[in-house]
Amino acid sequence: MKNLIVTVQGLNLRDKSGLDGDIIDVLNKGDVVELLGSSIDGYWMNIKIAGKTGWASHKYLLAKTKELPPEIASVPKSSFPWFDIAIQEIGTKEVPGDGDAPRVVEYLRSTNLSHTDSSNDETPWCSAFVNWCVEKSGNAGTDSAWARSWLNWGKKTENPVTGCPVVFTRGDNAGHVAFFVSKTDTHVKVLGGNQSDMVCITDYPIGRLLGYRVPK
């Protein structure tokens, strides 16, 4: 049995997969449901809660929280709901060679990339990962796969807190974006995607820092 958590307030439970299904219940954020199966395209999840069975969009269902990795177990809990979602994605990797990791493709398709670019897990996906996590939590991201787009999101802060987006330089015009974990005088520890081709926690030199962002 696999349990999922509802990540948005007011998720419609329908009697069949698809928007033409009748709404039989409305689920609350934080509700835990049992996964029974999914539609052929993977968009709709067949779930069960309180003896009632129905279908809901996969976009607002997430695997139940797992144990925190040692690197962030001692970090203060984040007030940002997307950080808990990001934790669940640790270990997600690109597929070597010609294959494409379905989860990475899902990240990419949360942005405004073309269908071709969003179907290839070799497309830079750090911003797509951050955008996916933020949207999965019921908030608005940038919809952009360009890391520096996050410099225009929310507002700047000089006092980063766990889970806030952090933007770094990468070359003259490119960048990298991830979620803040902690920092020292020389490095910033972040949880992000497309770090060694996977979702993981790593350090970046503080000299590459462009800014910390928090919601307005």
Side-chain angles (χ1 to χ4, degrees):
M1 181 181 70
K2 182 176 181 179
N3 289 332
L4 304 174
I5 293 178
V6 178
T7 64
V8 68
Q9 186 66 29
L11 177 63
N12 291 329
L13 183 69
R14 300 178 182 274
D15 64 354
K16 62 180 179 180
S17 61
L19 294 176
D20 57 339
D22 291 333
I23 298 173
I24 57 176
D25 201 353
V26 179
L27 307 183
N28 297 312
K29 186 174 182 179
D31 282 348
V32 177
V33 303
E34 179 183 348
L35 177 64
L36 303 177
S38 64
S39 58
I40 295 175
D41 61 5
Y43 189 91
W44 295 92
M45 299 286 104
N46 186 207
I47 57 177
K48 181 178 180 181
I49 181 171
K52 187 174 295 185
T53 301
W55 296 82
S57 168
H58 78 285
K59 294 178 66 176
Y60 308 109
L61 295 167
L62 190 71
K64 193 174 180 181
T65 303
K66 60 186 178 185
E67 185 178 351
L68 294 177
E71 299 96 322
I72 57 175
S74 61
V75 172
K77 183 174 176 60
S78 176
S79 61
F80 304 129
W82 52 76
F83 191 66
D84 286 339
I85 292 172
I87 290 171
Q88 306 311 304
E89 300 301 303
I90 291 176
T92 300
K93 300 179 180 179
E94 295 179 15
V95 174
D98 295 333
D100 297 298
R103 192 59 146 190
V104 175
V105 170
E106 188 175 334
Y107 302 154
L108 290 165
R109 288 183 176 169
S110 74
T111 71
N112 54 16
L113 284 171
S114 69
H115 181 78
T116 299
D117 288 336
S118 65
S119 300
N120 184 352
D121 69 5
E122 293 183 5
T123 298
W125 51 278
C126 67
S127 181
F129 172 71
V130 172
N131 194 76
W132 182 88
C133 292
V134 170
E135 288 189 349
K136 195 79 169 176
S137 72
N139 293 275
T142 68
D143 289 332
S144 175
W146 188 47
R148 295 197 186 203
S149 67
W150 291 89
L151 292 173
N152 298 315
W153 180 89
K155 62 183 180 180
K156 183 179 180 179
T157 183
E158 300 297 336
N159 301 300
V161 292
T162 307
C164 75
V166 189
V167 186
F168 302 95
T169 61
R170 184 170 64 84
D172 293 335
N173 298 307
H176 180 71
V177 63
F179 296 115
F180 178 81
V181 174
S182 62
K183 68 182 180 75
T184 66
D185 290 341
T186 59
H187 288 81
V188 181
K189 186 182 295 292
V190 295
L191 191 173
N194 204 22
Q195 298 179 165
S196 301
D197 298 334
M198 64 185 297
V199 178
C200 65
I201 298 168
T202 194
D203 294 335
Y204 282 83
I206 205 161
R208 290 180 54 187
L209 177 67
L210 285 175
Y212 304 108
R213 310 297 295 188
V214 293
K216 291 183 178 178

